[in-house]
Amino acid sequence: MSKQAKKLTLDDIAKLAGVSRATVSRVINKYPHITPDVRARVQKIISETGYQPNKIAQSLASQRTGIIGLVIPSATQTILSDPYFLHLISGITQKTNAYALTLSLFLFHSMDDEVQIAHSLFNTNLVDGLIITADRKENPFAQQVITQDIPFVVIGRSDLNTPLASVNVANEQGAYLATEHLITLGRRRLAIIMCDHNTAGDDRYAGYRRALADYDMAFDPQRVVCGDFSLESGYAAMQQLLSAKPDAVFVSSDMMAIGAQQAIRQAGLRIPDDIAVVGFDDLPQAALTDPPLTTIQQPIEELGMVAVDLLHDLMHDSAAAPRQVVLPIALIRRTT
Amino acid sequence: MSKQAKKLTLDDIAKLAGVSRATVSRVINKYPHITPDVRARVQKIISETGYQPNKIAQSLASQRTGIIGLVIPSATQTILSDPYFLHLISGITQKTNAYALTLSLFLFHSMDDEVQIAHSLFNTNLVDGLIITADRKENPFAQQVITQDIPFVVIGRSDLNTPLASVNVANEQGAYLATEHLITLGRRRLAIIMCDHNTAGDDRYAGYRRALADYDMAFDPQRVVCGDFSLESGYAAMQQLLSAKPDAVFVSSDMMAIGAQQAIRQAGLRIPDDIAVVGFDDLPQAALTDPPLTTIQQPIEELGMVAVDLLHDLMHDSAAAPRQVVLPIALIRRTT
DNA sequence: CTGAAAGCGCTTACAG
DNA sequence: CTGAAAGCGCTTACAG
C-alpha cells in the first residue's frame, strides 16, 4: 500500500492465514467449494493486508491476461478530427469496465508503426483478443489478424471474405433514407460528398445511388466529390461542388457536413433554401450547427459495446460461430 | 505463425540453435557481449521460425511490463464532445509507439469504475507507469496515486501540493492574451464563459481577471457564466449571457466557443460586429467556424508527447527529480 | 562469452 | 475440501 512496503505475495497470505497457496488462490478466484471458515479467515487477511494479486503472474499461470486490444488503422488525420472515435471508445470502455477487462489502444502514426504493432501483438500472449476498426478498404493489418490464432471482432464491414465476428450499422439503408428524404423534399439536383477508400463510405454511396435509381433521378458524376470524413475535407468538397449547382447534398459524415455548411454559407447561399444538407452520424454537434443538421443517426457507442460483447463471447467459447451484428439507423429531421 | 502450430518457447529456440536459454534470451535482449557466430546462429533460427517471446513471461521475470496507463478521470460527457482528448491521445501514442510501450486506456463511466480501476491498477504490477489528466479540481484518483509506489505524470495542473512530474500549458497567460486582445479591439463590456471544477478553467479565469485589472476594465459578475467545455454548455452559457449585453466574450475552450457563436447568431446578432468571440485550444474546427475563430493555440499533441517523455525518464531513473514542464501558447488572430 | 540454476508469483491438475 | 508439486516462459545474478 504505502511507498516502502515490500509487496506481499500469495505465499505471505497463505502463511498468515495458515493455509496453502492453492487455497488462497481459490479464495481469490471465487472457487465455490471452500469451507466457509477457511474462506472467511483468508478473506480477512487479504482485506487487512490490502493484498492484491500480481496480475502478470496470474496471466502467466492462467494463460489469460484480461487485456484486449483496440486497433484503429485509420489515418491519424481522420481520427483526430472525428469525435466518432471518442464515442466508439466510450462504448468500448463501458463494456470493458463492466467485464473487468483492460483495454489497450493501438494507433498507427506511420507505416512502421503498423509493422511494429503487428509484431508486438501477434504471438506474444499480451492480449486475449482484438477489436479492429475496419473502415479502410485496404487493410493489411486486418488481413494479417485472420491468419493469427487470436479472437477478434471487426467494427464496420470488411471485405475479407471469411466469416468474421463483426458489428456494423446499416450504412446503405441510412444513405438511402437520407437521399430519399431530399428527393421527397422536392430537390432535383442531388449531390453527394462521399468517402472513398472506406467501406462505410462505399456502402453509403451505394445507398445514395439506389435511392436515385428508385426515384428515377438523374445521376450526375459531376455532383460526386470525395472527402476523408474530416471537417476540412467536407469544406473543400463543398466548394468544389458549388459549380455544379446542386440544390441538395447528402454528406456521408456529420463532420464533413459541418464543413460543407460552412462552405455554403461562405458562398453566400442559404441552407436549406438554396441547398439542403443531410449528414450521417448524429454527433452531438449536429444539433447545434446553423441551421441544425438533419442527419442519419447511428448508435456509435452501441457499436463499441456490441463489439466487446462479441469478443467476450468469442474469448470464452472459441468454437462459437462468429456472429455478424448490424445495428439500425434512423433519420433525424431537424431543419427540413 | 499459423493457426494450429503450438507456440515456440525460448527452450525450443535454444535447442534448435544448440545453445542455452540464457544465450537466446541475451540475443533477444540485445546484450552486447555475444560471439558474432553464436548471435547469428540464434538470430537465424528466430527469424526462420518466426519466434516471438511471450511478453507476459518476460514481464514476470524482468518485473517490467512495458505497459503504461492513461487515466482520464473527467466526466464521460465532457470527453465525448471534446476533440481535445483525441489530440492528446494522438500525441501520447506517437511516443508510446516510438518507445515501444503499450498504452492502456482507463475511462470512468461511474463512481464504481473509479474504485474498480484503482483497485486493478495499484499493486497489481500491470502497468509500469501512469499518465493522469488532472483537470478536475476534485481528483480523488490522483490523490490515491500519490500514495502508490508507481511512477506517474500529471497532465494539467494539480493541486496536490507535492512536487509531481507534470506537463501543462500557460493557461493563465493564454487567457490574459485573449482578454487583452479583446480590450485592444476597443471592447468594453467583456464577458467570460469559463469552466468551474477544473484547474485549467480556474487558471484561464485568473488570466481574464488579471487582464481586466491591468487595463482598468470593469468586472461584472453578471458577465461570468460557467460551462463544462462541451459544445452544448457553451451554447447554453452564451444564451444566458446575452441579457447582460456583452460586446465581447472570452470562451475558455473552442468547443464552447463554437456553441457560443451559434447562440449569438441565433439571437440575430453579428460576430464580431455585435459580439467578438475568442476561444481557447485552436482545434482544427476553429478555423472553419463562421466567422473563423480567433483563439489561443495550445500544443495539445505535444502535451501528450512530453507526458510520455517525462514518464519514460521517471521509469528509468526513479531517483530523478520530477520535472514540471509548461508549454507555450499563442494568440491566433482570425476574424479580428 | 556462456551455461546451470534459481526465481518471478501465480494456477491447476492430481491425490487424498 | 485442501495441499504438494509441477508448470506457465521468461531473466539474471553467479560461476567459470
Side-chain angles (χ1 to χ4, degrees):
Chain A
M1 302 242 60
S2 70
K3 297 240 179 191
Q4 330 298 356
K6 48 237 52 128
K7 197 163 179 308
L8 291 166
T9 68
L10 243 208
D11 227 7
D12 299 323
I13 303 302
K15 276 172 192 145
L16 287 169
V19 297
S20 71
R21 282 151 51 205
T23 298
V24 178
S25 174
R26 290 189 186 108
V27 169
I28 289 169
N29 294 304
K30 307 203 193 319
Y31 179 78
H33 313 295
I34 299 181
T35 310
D37 275 14
V38 177
R39 178 195 305 283
R41 187 145 37 96
V42 173
Q43 269 167 344
K44 184 152 173 284
I45 303 286
I46 290 178
S47 65
E48 278 174 9
T49 55
Y51 168 73
Q52 294 273 86
N54 180 318
K55 287 207 174 191
I56 300 302
Q58 287 183 315
S59 298
L60 182 58
S62 67
Q63 304 282 61
R64 279 178 286 105
T65 63
I67 303 176
I68 70 174
L70 170 63
V71 181
I72 304 182
S74 311
T76 309
Q77 178 53 33
T78 306
I79 296 175
L80 285 185
S81 61
D82 204 339
Y84 171 92
F85 289 99
L86 244 18
H87 287 84
L88 193 62
I89 290 174
S90 170
I92 290 174
T93 53
Q94 278 175 52
K95 281 293 186 177
T96 51
N97 285 353
Y99 288 128
L101 294 167
T102 297
L103 180 74
S104 285
L105 183 62
F106 300 90
L107 300 187
F108 302 156
H109 294 274
S110 66
M111 282 295 104
D112 204 50
D113 279 356
E114 187 152 351
V115 175
Q116 224 46 51
I117 287 174
H119 192 79
S120 78
L121 232 33
F122 300 148
N123 281 312
T124 62
N125 296 58
L126 179 65
V127 298
D128 287 346
L130 244 28
I131 294 175
I132 303 161
T133 61
D135 58 336
R136 286 190 315 184
K137 281 193 279 192
E138 300 285 311
N139 201 147
F141 187 86
Q143 293 285 4
Q144 271 186 80
V145 175
I146 298 180
T147 68
Q148 301 300 126
D149 187 18
I150 186 171
F152 72 100
V153 358
V154 162
I155 294 181
R157 176 170 66 104
S158 69
D159 294 333
L160 308 168
N161 56 348
T162 318
L164 303 174
S166 69
V167 217
N168 203 357
V169 298
N171 283 309
E172 201 269 354
Q173 189 208 347
Y176 186 94
L177 287 183
T179 310
E180 184 176 47
H181 173 71
L182 290 168
I183 295 171
T184 308
L185 250 36
R187 306 291 164 145
R188 287 299 170 264
R189 298 182 56 81
L190 266 58
I192 180 172
I193 296 177
M194 61 173 291
C195 184
D196 217 349
H197 310 300
N198 180 290
T199 58
D202 274 5
D203 292 345
R204 290 172 200 172
Y205 178 66
Y208 172 77
R209 291 298 298 266
R210 183 164 65 89
L212 249 37
D214 278 5
Y215 285 86
D216 290 318
M217 300 287 296
F219 168 74
D220 183 350
Q222 292 277 89
R223 283 183 245 128
V224 177
V225 181
C226 290
D228 64 5
F229 281 156
S230 72
L231 188 76
E232 296 85 339
S233 75
Y235 178 82
M238 192 66 226
Q239 285 188 319
Q240 200 182 324
L241 224 37
L242 250 20
S243 60
K245 303 206 177 307
D247 60 6
V249 54
F250 164 55
V251 189
S252 56
S253 89
D254 279 356
M255 289 311 280
M256 289 202 296
I258 294 172
Q261 285 184 324
Q262 174 64 9
I264 293 171
R265 264 198 310 268
Q266 221 164 72
L269 300 172
R270 291 159 308 162
I271 307 168
D273 310 54
D274 297 316
I275 304 182
V277 179
V278 176
F280 200 112
D281 278 340
D282 196 30
L283 298 179
Q285 32 267 85
L288 290 178
T289 58
D290 185 24
L293 186 65
T294 292
T295 191
I296 301 297
Q297 177 179 71
Q298 62 165 326
I300 308 177
E301 287 194 42
E302 196 181 342
L303 216 46
M305 295 195 280
V306 173
V308 178
D309 283 339
L310 292 182
L311 185 56
H312 187 258
D313 290 353
L314 238 40
M315 285 170 9
H316 287 81
D317 179 11
S318 57
R323 290 194 283 148
Q324 279 92 33
V325 176
V326 177
L327 268 19
I329 47 73
L331 174 68
I332 306 293
R333 297 184 55 159
R334 274 193 266 255
T335 290
T336 47
Chain B
M1 303 244 61
S2 69
K3 297 242 178 190
Q4 332 297 355
K6 48 232 58 111
K7 199 167 177 303
L8 290 167
T9 69
L10 243 209
D11 226 8
D12 299 323
I13 304 301
K15 278 172 191 146
L16 287 169
V19 297
S20 72
R21 282 151 52 203
T23 298
V24 179
S25 175
R26 289 189 186 106
V27 170
I28 288 168
N29 293 304
K30 307 204 192 319
Y31 178 77
H33 312 295
I34 299 180
T35 309
D37 275 14
V38 176
R39 177 193 307 282
R41 186 147 37 98
V42 172
Q43 269 167 343
K44 183 151 174 286
I45 302 287
I46 290 177
S47 65
E48 279 174 8
T49 56
Y51 168 73
Q52 293 273 85
N54 180 318
K55 287 209 174 190
I56 298 301
Q58 286 182 315
S59 298
L60 182 59
S62 68
Q63 303 282 59
R64 279 178 288 101
T65 63
I67 303 176
I68 69 174
L70 170 62
V71 181
I72 304 183
S74 310
T76 310
Q77 177 53 32
T78 306
I79 296 176
L80 285 185
S81 61
D82 204 338
Y84 172 92
F85 289 99
L86 243 19
H87 287 84
L88 193 63
I89 290 174
S90 170
I92 290 173
T93 53
Q94 277 174 52
K95 281 293 186 177
T96 52
N97 285 355
Y99 288 128
L101 293 168
T102 297
L103 181 72
S104 285
L105 183 60
F106 300 91
L107 300 187
F108 302 156
H109 294 275
S110 66
M111 283 294 105
D112 203 49
D113 279 355
E114 187 152 352
V115 175
Q116 223 48 49
I117 287 173
H119 192 78
S120 79
L121 233 32
F122 301 148
N123 281 310
T124 62
N125 296 58
L126 179 64
V127 297
D128 287 346
L130 245 27
I131 294 176
I132 302 163
T133 62
D135 57 337
R136 286 190 313 184
K137 281 194 278 192
E138 301 285 312
N139 201 147
F141 187 87
Q143 293 286 2
Q144 270 187 80
V145 175
I146 298 181
T147 68
Q148 302 300 127
D149 188 17
I150 186 169
F152 73 101
V153 0
V154 163
I155 294 181
R157 177 172 65 101
S158 68
D159 294 335
L160 309 168
N161 54 348
T162 318
L164 304 174
S166 69
V167 217
N168 204 356
V169 298
N171 283 310
E172 201 269 354
Q173 189 208 347
Y176 185 95
L177 287 183
T179 310
E180 184 176 48
H181 173 71
L182 290 169
I183 296 170
T184 309
L185 249 36
R187 306 291 165 146
R188 286 301 169 262
R189 298 181 57 81
L190 265 59
I192 181 172
I193 295 177
M194 60 173 290
C195 184
D196 214 351
H197 310 300
N198 181 290
T199 58
D202 274 5
D203 292 347
R204 291 172 199 172
Y205 178 66
Y208 173 77
R209 291 298 298 267
R210 183 163 66 88
L212 249 38
D214 278 6
Y215 285 87
D216 291 319
M217 301 286 296
F219 168 75
D220 183 350
Q222 293 277 88
R223 283 183 245 127
V224 177
V225 181
C226 290
D228 64 5
F229 281 156
S230 72
L231 188 74
E232 295 86 337
S233 75
Y235 178 82
M238 193 65 225
Q239 285 189 318
Q240 198 181 326
L241 224 37
L242 250 19
S243 59
K245 303 207 177 305
D247 61 4
V249 54
F250 165 56
V251 189
S252 56
S253 89
D254 279 356
M255 288 311 279
M256 289 202 295
I258 294 171
Q261 286 184 323
Q262 175 64 8
I264 293 171
R265 264 198 309 269
Q266 223 165 70
L269 300 172
R270 289 159 309 162
I271 306 168
D273 311 55
D274 297 315
I275 304 182
V277 179
V278 176
F280 200 112
D281 278 338
D282 196 30
L283 299 179
Q285 30 268 86
L288 288 178
T289 57
D290 184 24
L293 186 65
T294 291
T295 192
I296 301 298
Q297 178 178 70
Q298 63 165 327
I300 307 177
E301 287 193 42
E302 197 181 342
L303 215 47
M305 295 194 279
V306 173
V308 178
D309 284 338
L310 292 182
L311 185 56
H312 187 257
D313 291 353
L314 238 39
M315 285 170 9
H316 287 82
D317 179 11
S318 56
R323 291 193 283 149
Q324 278 92 34
V325 176
V326 177
L327 268 19
I329 48 74
L331 175 69
I332 306 294
R333 297 183 54 160
R334 273 194 267 254
T335 290
T336 47

